[in-house]
Short mmCIF file of all heavy atoms in Angstrom, two decimals:
data_model
loop_
_atom_site.label_atom_id
_atom_site.label_comp_id
_atom_site.label_asym_id
_atom_site.label_seq_id
_atom_site.Cartn_x
_atom_site.Cartn_y
_atom_site.Cartn_z
N MET A 1 80.18 105.99 115.64
CA MET A 1 81.23 105.18 115.97
C MET A 1 82.06 104.97 114.89
O MET A 1 81.56 104.80 113.76
CB MET A 1 80.56 103.82 116.41
CG MET A 1 81.55 102.73 116.91
SD MET A 1 80.83 101.23 117.51
CE MET A 1 80.04 101.86 119.01
N GLU A 2 83.43 104.86 115.02
CA GLU A 2 84.32 104.62 113.91
C GLU A 2 84.69 103.23 113.84
O GLU A 2 84.78 102.48 114.89
CB GLU A 2 85.63 105.48 114.09
CG GLU A 2 85.45 106.96 113.86
CD GLU A 2 86.80 107.62 113.96
OE1 GLU A 2 87.69 107.16 113.36
OE2 GLU A 2 86.78 108.76 114.52
N TYR A 3 84.97 102.80 112.65
CA TYR A 3 85.21 101.31 112.42
C TYR A 3 86.66 101.19 111.71
O TYR A 3 87.07 102.17 111.01
CB TYR A 3 84.20 100.62 111.47
CG TYR A 3 82.87 100.39 112.18
CD1 TYR A 3 81.83 101.47 111.97
CD2 TYR A 3 82.70 99.59 113.24
CE1 TYR A 3 80.57 101.30 112.56
CE2 TYR A 3 81.39 99.32 113.69
CZ TYR A 3 80.41 100.38 113.38
OH TYR A 3 79.18 100.24 113.97
N ILE A 4 87.27 100.16 112.07
CA ILE A 4 88.57 99.85 111.44
C ILE A 4 88.19 98.72 110.47
O ILE A 4 87.74 97.73 110.81
CB ILE A 4 89.52 99.26 112.60
CG1 ILE A 4 89.78 100.52 113.62
CG2 ILE A 4 90.80 98.96 112.01
CD1 ILE A 4 90.56 99.98 114.87
N ARG A 5 88.68 99.12 109.25
CA ARG A 5 88.49 98.04 108.06
C ARG A 5 89.75 97.45 107.89
O ARG A 5 90.80 98.00 107.68
CB ARG A 5 88.02 98.85 106.88
CG ARG A 5 86.63 99.51 106.96
CD ARG A 5 86.46 100.41 105.88
NE ARG A 5 86.39 99.72 104.47
CZ ARG A 5 85.30 99.38 103.87
NH1 ARG A 5 84.11 99.76 104.44
NH2 ARG A 5 85.45 98.74 102.65
N ILE A 6 89.71 96.14 107.90
CA ILE A 6 90.90 95.28 107.52
C ILE A 6 90.59 94.40 106.36
O ILE A 6 89.78 93.45 106.46
CB ILE A 6 91.32 94.39 108.81
CG1 ILE A 6 91.53 95.36 110.06
CG2 ILE A 6 92.49 93.56 108.42
CD1 ILE A 6 91.80 94.48 111.16
N GLN A 7 91.15 94.68 105.22
CA GLN A 7 91.09 93.77 103.99
C GLN A 7 91.90 92.62 104.01
O GLN A 7 93.13 92.82 104.03
CB GLN A 7 91.22 94.68 102.85
CG GLN A 7 90.87 93.97 101.50
CD GLN A 7 89.45 93.78 101.38
OE1 GLN A 7 88.62 94.68 101.41
NE2 GLN A 7 89.14 92.52 101.01
N LEU A 8 91.28 91.56 103.99
CA LEU A 8 92.12 90.23 103.92
C LEU A 8 91.78 89.66 102.48
O LEU A 8 90.91 90.08 101.80
CB LEU A 8 91.67 89.36 104.88
CG LEU A 8 92.05 89.60 106.43
CD1 LEU A 8 91.50 88.66 107.38
CD2 LEU A 8 93.43 89.92 106.58
N PRO A 9 92.71 88.58 101.98
CA PRO A 9 92.48 88.13 100.74
C PRO A 9 90.99 87.68 100.26
O PRO A 9 90.61 88.02 99.17
CB PRO A 9 93.27 87.01 100.56
CG PRO A 9 94.42 87.30 101.67
CD PRO A 9 93.70 88.06 102.70
N ARG A 10 90.28 87.12 101.13
CA ARG A 10 88.90 86.72 100.75
C ARG A 10 87.83 87.28 101.56
O ARG A 10 86.66 86.89 101.53
CB ARG A 10 88.96 85.16 100.84
CG ARG A 10 89.81 84.67 99.74
CD ARG A 10 89.77 83.17 99.74
NE ARG A 10 88.47 82.71 99.26
CZ ARG A 10 87.93 81.39 99.35
NH1 ARG A 10 88.90 80.46 99.71
NH2 ARG A 10 86.83 81.12 99.08
N CYS A 11 88.08 88.33 102.43
CA CYS A 11 87.00 88.82 103.22
C CYS A 11 87.47 90.26 103.77
O CYS A 11 88.61 90.79 103.59
CB CYS A 11 86.68 87.89 104.54
SG CYS A 11 88.17 87.70 105.64
N LEU A 12 86.56 91.01 104.29
CA LEU A 12 86.70 92.29 104.88
C LEU A 12 86.30 92.23 106.30
O LEU A 12 85.14 91.81 106.66
CB LEU A 12 85.86 93.36 104.17
CG LEU A 12 85.87 94.72 104.78
CD1 LEU A 12 87.09 95.33 104.72
CD2 LEU A 12 84.77 95.48 104.08
N LEU A 13 87.23 92.57 107.16
CA LEU A 13 86.81 92.53 108.64
C LEU A 13 86.52 94.00 109.02
O LEU A 13 87.27 94.97 108.53
CB LEU A 13 88.06 92.14 109.50
CG LEU A 13 88.52 90.69 109.13
CD1 LEU A 13 89.76 90.43 110.12
CD2 LEU A 13 87.55 89.60 109.39
N VAL A 14 85.53 94.11 109.83
CA VAL A 14 85.16 95.58 110.42
C VAL A 14 85.05 95.47 111.84
O VAL A 14 84.13 94.79 112.35
CB VAL A 14 83.85 96.16 109.67
CG1 VAL A 14 83.54 97.37 110.09
CG2 VAL A 14 83.97 96.12 108.08
N LEU A 15 85.95 96.07 112.49
CA LEU A 15 85.86 96.13 114.07
C LEU A 15 85.94 97.49 114.49
O LEU A 15 86.36 98.46 113.89
CB LEU A 15 87.25 95.34 114.49
CG LEU A 15 87.45 93.96 114.08
CD1 LEU A 15 88.86 93.59 114.27
CD2 LEU A 15 86.61 93.00 114.78
N THR A 16 85.52 97.66 115.87
CA THR A 16 85.72 98.82 116.45
C THR A 16 87.00 98.85 117.19
O THR A 16 87.69 97.83 117.20
CB THR A 16 84.61 99.04 117.64
OG1 THR A 16 84.74 98.09 118.60
CG2 THR A 16 83.16 99.04 117.04
N ALA A 17 87.62 100.02 117.56
CA ALA A 17 88.87 100.09 118.22
C ALA A 17 88.88 99.23 119.57
O ALA A 17 89.80 98.55 119.77
CB ALA A 17 89.24 101.60 118.50
N GLN A 18 87.70 99.18 120.12
CA GLN A 18 87.65 98.54 121.41
C GLN A 18 87.73 97.05 121.16
O GLN A 18 88.36 96.27 121.93
CB GLN A 18 86.23 98.91 122.18
CG GLN A 18 86.24 98.23 123.51
CD GLN A 18 84.89 98.64 124.21
OE1 GLN A 18 83.97 99.14 123.57
NE2 GLN A 18 84.87 98.36 125.54
N GLU A 19 87.07 96.51 120.12
CA GLU A 19 87.05 95.05 119.79
C GLU A 19 88.52 94.71 119.42
O GLU A 19 88.99 93.65 119.84
CB GLU A 19 86.05 94.87 118.65
CG GLU A 19 84.59 94.97 118.99
CD GLU A 19 83.73 95.04 117.79
OE1 GLU A 19 84.14 95.30 116.73
OE2 GLU A 19 82.50 94.62 118.09
N LEU A 20 89.14 95.51 118.66
CA LEU A 20 90.52 95.08 118.29
C LEU A 20 91.52 95.14 119.51
O LEU A 20 92.34 94.28 119.56
CB LEU A 20 91.07 96.18 117.19
CG LEU A 20 92.45 95.91 116.61
CD1 LEU A 20 92.46 94.64 116.00
CD2 LEU A 20 92.75 96.95 115.59
N GLN A 21 91.14 96.05 120.52
CA GLN A 21 92.04 96.19 121.69
C GLN A 21 91.89 94.88 122.46
O GLN A 21 92.89 94.23 122.89
CB GLN A 21 91.71 97.42 122.30
CG GLN A 21 92.78 97.82 123.29
CD GLN A 21 92.38 99.22 123.78
OE1 GLN A 21 91.36 99.74 123.89
NE2 GLN A 21 93.39 99.95 124.39
N LYS A 22 90.64 94.43 122.48
CA LYS A 22 90.39 93.23 123.20
C LYS A 22 91.06 92.02 122.69
O LYS A 22 91.69 91.15 123.34
CB LYS A 22 88.85 92.91 123.42
CG LYS A 22 88.15 93.79 124.40
CD LYS A 22 86.66 93.71 124.34
CE LYS A 22 86.21 92.20 124.57
NZ LYS A 22 84.71 92.09 124.59
N LEU A 23 91.07 91.92 121.33
CA LEU A 23 91.69 90.82 120.75
C LEU A 23 93.20 90.84 120.82
O LEU A 23 93.90 89.74 121.18
CB LEU A 23 91.45 90.83 119.18
CG LEU A 23 90.07 90.46 118.74
CD1 LEU A 23 89.87 90.79 117.30
CD2 LEU A 23 89.74 89.07 119.14
N LEU A 24 93.74 92.07 120.82
CA LEU A 24 95.30 92.16 120.94
C LEU A 24 95.64 91.90 122.46
O LEU A 24 96.79 91.37 122.59
CB LEU A 24 95.83 93.62 120.60
CG LEU A 24 95.82 93.88 118.99
CD1 LEU A 24 96.14 95.17 118.67
CD2 LEU A 24 96.83 92.93 118.35
N ALA A 25 94.81 92.13 123.36
CA ALA A 25 95.13 92.02 124.72
C ALA A 25 95.34 90.48 125.08
O ALA A 25 95.97 90.22 126.15
CB ALA A 25 93.98 92.63 125.63
N ARG A 26 94.74 89.69 124.33
CA ARG A 26 94.88 88.27 124.48
C ARG A 26 96.20 87.65 124.03
O ARG A 26 96.56 86.62 124.51
CB ARG A 26 93.75 87.51 123.74
CG ARG A 26 92.29 87.85 124.29
CD ARG A 26 91.39 87.09 123.55
NE ARG A 26 89.98 87.40 124.05
CZ ARG A 26 88.91 86.73 123.77
NH1 ARG A 26 88.98 85.69 123.01
NH2 ARG A 26 87.86 87.11 124.17
N ASP A 27 96.83 88.49 123.25
CA ASP A 27 98.17 88.02 122.83
C ASP A 27 99.18 89.22 122.87
O ASP A 27 99.42 89.88 121.97
CB ASP A 27 98.16 87.66 121.31
CG ASP A 27 99.27 86.98 120.78
OD1 ASP A 27 100.36 86.88 121.44
OD2 ASP A 27 99.23 86.34 119.64
N PRO A 28 99.86 89.27 124.05
CA PRO A 28 100.80 90.32 124.31
C PRO A 28 102.01 90.47 123.41
O PRO A 28 102.49 91.53 123.18
CB PRO A 28 101.33 90.09 125.82
CG PRO A 28 100.38 89.04 126.44
CD PRO A 28 99.68 88.38 125.14
N VAL A 29 102.43 89.27 122.86
CA VAL A 29 103.51 89.39 121.94
C VAL A 29 103.09 89.96 120.66
O VAL A 29 103.87 90.84 120.03
CB VAL A 29 104.04 87.88 121.70
CG1 VAL A 29 105.20 87.89 120.59
CG2 VAL A 29 104.53 87.16 122.93
N LEU A 30 101.94 89.69 120.08
CA LEU A 30 101.39 90.25 118.91
C LEU A 30 101.18 91.89 119.11
O LEU A 30 101.51 92.60 118.35
CB LEU A 30 100.07 89.69 118.46
CG LEU A 30 99.36 90.23 117.33
CD1 LEU A 30 100.23 90.17 116.16
CD2 LEU A 30 98.07 89.57 117.10
N TRP A 31 100.74 92.22 120.37
CA TRP A 31 100.54 93.59 120.68
C TRP A 31 101.79 94.35 120.67
O TRP A 31 101.95 95.38 119.98
CB TRP A 31 99.88 93.71 122.09
CG TRP A 31 99.61 95.11 122.66
CD1 TRP A 31 100.46 96.01 122.69
CD2 TRP A 31 98.28 95.55 122.85
NE1 TRP A 31 99.75 97.17 123.18
CE2 TRP A 31 98.41 96.89 123.23
CE3 TRP A 31 96.97 95.01 122.77
CZ2 TRP A 31 97.25 97.71 123.50
CZ3 TRP A 31 95.96 95.85 123.08
CH2 TRP A 31 96.10 97.17 123.51
N ALA A 32 102.91 93.65 121.29
CA ALA A 32 104.28 94.45 121.25
C ALA A 32 104.69 94.52 119.83
O ALA A 32 105.25 95.52 119.43
CB ALA A 32 105.09 93.58 122.15
N GLU A 33 104.60 93.46 119.02
CA GLU A 33 105.01 93.58 117.58
C GLU A 33 104.25 94.62 116.76
O GLU A 33 104.92 95.29 116.03
CB GLU A 33 104.74 92.05 116.97
CG GLU A 33 105.24 92.05 115.59
CD GLU A 33 106.70 92.24 115.26
OE1 GLU A 33 107.54 92.04 116.27
OE2 GLU A 33 107.05 92.63 114.16
N ALA A 34 102.96 94.66 116.98
CA ALA A 34 102.17 95.73 116.34
C ALA A 34 102.64 97.13 116.73
O ALA A 34 102.75 97.97 115.75
CB ALA A 34 100.71 95.52 116.56
N ILE A 35 102.95 97.31 117.86
CA ILE A 35 103.41 98.59 118.43
C ILE A 35 104.81 98.97 117.80
O ILE A 35 104.99 99.98 117.31
CB ILE A 35 103.43 98.70 119.96
CG1 ILE A 35 102.09 98.65 120.42
CG2 ILE A 35 104.27 100.01 120.40
CD1 ILE A 35 101.98 98.65 122.04
N ARG A 36 105.65 97.99 117.91
CA ARG A 36 107.03 98.21 117.27
C ARG A 36 106.97 98.52 115.79
O ARG A 36 107.51 99.37 115.27
CB ARG A 36 107.79 96.84 117.42
CG ARG A 36 109.30 97.10 117.04
CD ARG A 36 110.09 95.77 117.05
NE ARG A 36 109.61 94.79 116.12
CZ ARG A 36 109.77 94.88 114.76
NH1 ARG A 36 110.49 95.79 114.33
NH2 ARG A 36 109.29 93.87 113.90
N ARG A 37 106.09 97.71 115.08
CA ARG A 37 105.86 97.91 113.66
C ARG A 37 105.24 99.30 113.42
O ARG A 37 105.71 100.09 112.34
CB ARG A 37 105.07 96.88 113.05
CG ARG A 37 105.11 96.80 111.55
CD ARG A 37 104.17 95.67 111.03
NE ARG A 37 104.62 94.29 111.54
CZ ARG A 37 103.89 93.34 111.95
NH1 ARG A 37 102.60 93.42 111.80
NH2 ARG A 37 104.50 92.18 112.27
N GLY A 38 104.36 99.78 114.15
CA GLY A 38 103.63 101.11 114.07
C GLY A 38 104.70 102.15 114.27
O GLY A 38 104.62 103.23 113.49
N LYS A 39 105.58 102.09 115.19
CA LYS A 39 106.59 103.06 115.41
C LYS A 39 107.52 103.26 114.20
O LYS A 39 107.86 104.24 113.70
CB LYS A 39 107.45 102.75 116.66
CG LYS A 39 106.70 102.97 118.05
CD LYS A 39 107.62 102.57 119.08
CE LYS A 39 106.81 102.80 120.44
NZ LYS A 39 107.68 102.52 121.61
N GLY A 40 107.79 102.13 113.68
CA GLY A 40 108.73 102.06 112.44
C GLY A 40 107.97 102.76 111.19
O GLY A 40 108.64 103.47 110.44
N VAL A 41 106.72 102.51 111.05
CA VAL A 41 105.96 103.07 109.95
C VAL A 41 105.85 104.54 110.11
O VAL A 41 106.09 105.30 109.21
CB VAL A 41 104.65 102.39 109.79
CG1 VAL A 41 103.71 103.30 108.94
CG2 VAL A 41 104.74 101.00 109.34
N LYS A 42 105.63 105.00 111.45
CA LYS A 42 105.54 106.32 111.60
C LYS A 42 106.92 107.08 111.40
O LYS A 42 106.92 108.31 110.75
CB LYS A 42 105.17 106.63 113.10
CG LYS A 42 103.79 107.19 113.30
CD LYS A 42 103.52 107.41 114.74
CE LYS A 42 102.91 108.75 115.00
NZ LYS A 42 102.40 108.92 116.40
N ARG A 43 108.06 106.52 111.76
CA ARG A 43 109.28 107.10 111.47
C ARG A 43 109.60 107.27 110.01
O ARG A 43 110.06 108.17 109.55
CB ARG A 43 110.41 106.30 112.27
CG ARG A 43 110.47 106.60 113.62
CD ARG A 43 111.78 105.92 114.25
NE ARG A 43 111.43 105.37 115.55
CZ ARG A 43 111.32 104.07 115.86
NH1 ARG A 43 111.68 103.15 115.06
NH2 ARG A 43 111.06 103.61 116.99
N TYR A 44 109.21 106.25 109.33
CA TYR A 44 109.50 106.16 107.90
C TYR A 44 108.59 107.40 107.15
O TYR A 44 109.17 108.03 106.45
CB TYR A 44 109.17 104.81 107.24
CG TYR A 44 109.11 104.78 105.82
CD1 TYR A 44 110.44 104.59 105.20
CD2 TYR A 44 107.97 104.87 105.06
CE1 TYR A 44 110.40 104.51 103.78
CE2 TYR A 44 108.10 104.80 103.62
CZ TYR A 44 109.24 104.68 103.00
OH TYR A 44 109.39 104.59 101.69
N GLU A 45 107.34 107.48 107.55
CA GLU A 45 106.53 108.45 107.03
C GLU A 45 106.98 109.83 107.37
O GLU A 45 107.02 110.68 106.45
CB GLU A 45 105.09 108.43 107.56
CG GLU A 45 104.42 107.13 106.88
CD GLU A 45 103.12 106.82 107.54
OE1 GLU A 45 102.71 107.36 108.62
OE2 GLU A 45 102.35 105.92 107.07
N GLN A 46 107.54 110.09 108.57
CA GLN A 46 108.08 111.42 108.98
C GLN A 46 109.33 111.68 108.17
O GLN A 46 109.56 112.77 107.70
CB GLN A 46 108.40 111.42 110.47
CG GLN A 46 107.19 111.38 111.28
CD GLN A 46 107.54 111.20 112.78
OE1 GLN A 46 108.61 110.75 113.14
NE2 GLN A 46 106.46 111.67 113.57
N MET A 47 110.26 110.71 107.97
CA MET A 47 111.49 110.81 107.16
C MET A 47 111.04 111.29 105.67
O MET A 47 111.60 112.14 105.12
CB MET A 47 112.24 109.68 107.20
CG MET A 47 113.51 109.71 106.41
SD MET A 47 114.40 108.07 106.19
CE MET A 47 113.23 107.24 105.15
N LYS A 48 110.05 110.60 105.08
CA LYS A 48 109.68 110.77 103.73
C LYS A 48 109.10 112.22 103.63
O LYS A 48 109.35 113.02 102.66
CB LYS A 48 108.64 109.75 103.27
CG LYS A 48 109.29 108.43 102.85
CD LYS A 48 110.26 108.72 101.73
CE LYS A 48 110.86 107.35 101.33
NZ LYS A 48 111.82 107.55 100.24
N ALA A 49 108.33 112.70 104.61
CA ALA A 49 107.81 113.94 104.60
C ALA A 49 108.79 115.04 104.68
O ALA A 49 108.90 116.06 104.05
CB ALA A 49 106.81 114.15 105.67
N ARG A 50 109.87 114.82 105.46
CA ARG A 50 110.99 115.76 105.59
C ARG A 50 111.74 115.86 104.31
O ARG A 50 112.21 116.95 103.85
CB ARG A 50 112.06 115.43 106.72
CG ARG A 50 111.53 115.73 108.09
CD ARG A 50 112.66 115.59 109.10
NE ARG A 50 111.94 114.80 110.17
CZ ARG A 50 112.26 113.53 110.49
NH1 ARG A 50 113.27 112.98 109.94
NH2 ARG A 50 111.64 112.93 111.44
N GLU A 51 112.05 114.66 103.73
CA GLU A 51 112.65 114.70 102.34
C GLU A 51 111.83 115.44 101.23
O GLU A 51 112.42 116.17 100.45
CB GLU A 51 112.77 113.17 101.93
CG GLU A 51 113.85 112.53 102.60
CD GLU A 51 113.96 111.00 102.09
OE1 GLU A 51 113.37 110.57 101.22
OE2 GLU A 51 114.90 110.31 102.68
N THR A 52 110.58 115.39 101.38
CA THR A 52 109.72 116.04 100.34
C THR A 52 109.71 117.60 100.51
O THR A 52 109.84 118.28 99.69
CB THR A 52 108.22 115.56 100.50
OG1 THR A 52 108.24 114.18 100.31
CG2 THR A 52 107.40 116.20 99.45
N LYS A 53 109.86 117.98 101.79
CA LYS A 53 109.94 119.44 102.10
C LYS A 53 111.17 120.09 101.59
O LYS A 53 111.29 121.14 101.20
CB LYS A 53 109.75 119.59 103.63
CG LYS A 53 108.36 119.51 104.02
CD LYS A 53 108.23 119.86 105.51
CE LYS A 53 106.86 119.74 105.98
NZ LYS A 53 106.72 119.97 107.41
N LEU A 54 112.36 119.18 101.67
CA LEU A 54 113.59 119.58 101.33
C LEU A 54 113.85 119.93 99.74
O LEU A 54 114.69 120.60 99.27
CB LEU A 54 114.80 118.78 101.82
CG LEU A 54 114.85 118.74 103.32
CD1 LEU A 54 115.96 117.74 103.76
CD2 LEU A 54 115.33 120.08 103.85
N ARG A 55 113.09 119.21 99.05
CA ARG A 55 113.18 119.30 97.60
C ARG A 55 112.43 120.42 97.01
O ARG A 55 111.69 121.10 97.31
CB ARG A 55 112.53 118.05 96.99
CG ARG A 55 113.41 116.77 97.26
CD ARG A 55 112.78 115.51 96.61
NE ARG A 55 113.69 114.50 97.15
CZ ARG A 55 113.54 113.28 96.55
NH1 ARG A 55 112.71 112.98 95.64
NH2 ARG A 55 114.25 112.30 97.04
#
């Protein structure tokens, strides 16, 4: 089983993907924000990878 580690200032959270999904399902606005942020991070990483290849 794989775990997701979330480091917070004074503690470490360790959840399974299923547990995290259950928590996010309780707050659809947070779920949508996390998806939007994830898409942005992915685009940024792809852009940086392309820039590195061109150099």
Side-chain angles (χ1 to χ4, degrees):
M1 181 176 294
E2 287 189 42
Y3 293 101
I4 300 167
R5 297 170 57 103
I6 303 170
Q7 183 68 53
L8 296 176
R10 295 182 62 188
C11 62
L12 171 67
L13 303 178
V14 181
L15 301 166
T16 64
Q18 185 178 15
E19 290 167 339
L20 184 57
Q21 201 168 24
K22 280 174 59 177
L23 288 171
L24 286 171
R26 293 180 183 198
D27 189 347
V29 174
L30 178 60
W31 185 293
E33 178 66 22
I35 289 173
R36 186 188 66 75
R37 195 176 298 143
K39 287 179 180 180
V41 168
K42 248 180 138 174
R43 281 189 221 114
Y44 175 79
E45 290 171 348
Q46 289 171 344
M47 180 189 69
K48 284 296 182 185
R50 278 188 235 116
E51 285 179 1
T52 303
K53 285 183 181 179
L54 292 175
R55 292 181 186 192

